[in-house]
Amino acid sequence: MKDKGLNYVNYLIRDNQINDLSVGSQYTGFGFDAVITEIYPILLSGGRLCIIKQEDKLDPIKINNFFIQHKITYAFLPTQIAQLFFILKNS
């Protein structure tokens, strides 16, 4: 049972082709279990983790600009924010 978490992280790394060139974002709070899907795949692959400022987390335009500025290649967003984010033009 103790290896299930690590197996899931390894699955995320493989499925999302995360590697040392990957750049991830951290949106969720540390008290939320989904933070594991944001932090561990990137760090275990040697990638770079960029943390979204608390005051920007409810503004999809600021999140979009953050993703562009930091060249984010891997991200997890809550459904409500992701729906607003996907409406925006992204490059």
Side-chain angles (χ1 to χ4, degrees):
M1 291 288 282
K2 68 180 179 180
D3 294 330
K4 284 188 178 185
L6 187 55
N7 287 338
Y8 180 61
V9 170
N10 285 327
Y11 161 78
L12 291 172
I13 291 168
R14 280 191 315 274
D15 192 55
N16 293 288
Q17 300 175 349
I18 299 170
N19 58 46
D20 61 331
L21 301 176
S22 298
V23 182
S25 66
Q26 191 265 318
Y27 179 96
T28 58
F30 289 105
F32 185 46
D33 59 355
V35 76
I36 292 169
T37 64
E38 293 181 298
I39 294 176
Y40 285 99
I42 289 293
L43 296 181
L44 290 174
S45 298
R48 184 168 51 100
L49 183 66
C50 301
I51 301 171
I52 301 171
K53 292 180 188 176
Q54 185 66 35
E55 60 267 19
D56 294 345
K57 289 184 177 181
L58 296 179
D59 187 333
I61 294 171
K62 287 184 179 179
I63 294 170
N64 190 51
N65 291 338
F66 178 89
F67 280 25
I68 292 168
Q69 177 186 357
H70 295 284
K71 298 180 170 94
I72 301 297
T73 60
Y74 175 76
F76 170 87
L77 293 173
T79 304
Q80 299 87 342
I81 298 298
Q83 288 173 335
L84 296 172
F85 179 79
F86 287 127
I87 292 171
L88 301 172
K89 281 192 164 195
N90 298 292
S91 52

